[in-house]
Amino acid sequence: QIIERFHDDAGFVDGEQGLLPLRARDLFDGAVPSGMAAACELLLRLGTVYDRADWTDVARQAVERQAALLEKAPSAAPGLLLARLLDERGAELALPSAPQADDAFAPARAEFAPLLTIVSGMTDAVPLLAGRQAGCAYLCQHGSCQLPARSSEELSRQLAALWH
């Protein structure tokens, strides 16, 4: 619905159509990210989790339309900058689990990285978890996954190697 209700040729607007002829579009972040940045980040993260290339394509195009802003004043739009980095270098961490299972990967999960989308749950919950073995961690980037990590230490090594 976010695409249907808030997307147009220039990216995303901040609200639904009202009585005014133009819809508000704020690209700059304040105390909270702009509507454009929030929509792009959401679609990039969920697009990979749900295997929806159409969602990631819409977000990617919206961010690319703001390339001049990000080049000229990246600190004015850190939310859009994060969306761009998510698209370029982001990764997904799939943690399939059995009901009531202990989380052996809690230490690695505690090392939160903004470019990491963490998904945990039953193996049939979302496409990213489908066909995965419970109790293992799968670090993926752009649809390519590393071998399953079976310990928190192994996952920490994979995470460190991904961005260094």
Side-chain angles (χ1 to χ4, degrees):
Q1 290 237 339
I2 196 167
I3 294 172
E4 289 176 23
R5 295 169 61 187
F6 300 103
H7 182 257
D8 65 14
D9 291 339
F12 291 92
V13 294
D14 292 345
E16 297 198 62
Q17 184 68 46
L19 298 174
L20 298 175
L22 296 175
R23 295 167 76 178
R25 180 186 327 273
D26 190 3
L27 302 177
F28 303 102
D29 296 335
V32 296
S34 68
M36 173 87 76
C40 290
E41 180 181 351
L42 176 71
L43 289 172
L44 287 165
R45 289 187 188 278
L46 292 181
T48 58
V49 171
Y50 286 94
D51 196 22
R52 293 290 306 261
D54 55 327
W55 294 354
T56 57
D57 289 344
V58 167
R60 182 177 298 122
Q61 291 167 5
V63 171
E64 286 173 359
R65 286 187 185 99
Q66 306 309 320
L69 170 65
L70 292 175
E71 183 75 26
K72 193 180 231 181
S75 62
L80 278 175
L81 186 58
L82 173 61
R84 176 187 249 176
L85 290 171
L86 266 174
D87 186 36
E88 293 173 3
R89 306 218 35 218
E92 303 78 46
L93 178 59
L95 298 168
S97 61
Q100 312 301 321
D102 278 342
D103 186 1
F105 299 100
R109 288 177 68 177
E111 299 173 30
F112 174 75
L115 297 179
L116 188 63
T117 301
I118 301 172
V119 179
S120 62
M122 300 300 296
T123 57
D124 59 351
V126 294
L128 186 64
L129 296 172
R132 311 273 187 205
Q133 180 183 350
C136 293
Y138 298 82
L139 184 61
C140 308
Q141 190 173 40
H142 302 296
S144 176
C145 297
Q146 297 187 24
L147 292 174
R150 300 188 190 293
S151 69
S152 187
E153 295 79 19
E154 188 176 353
L155 177 58
S156 291
R157 282 192 297 277
Q158 288 180 355
L159 285 166
L162 184 64
W163 289 306
H164 290 100

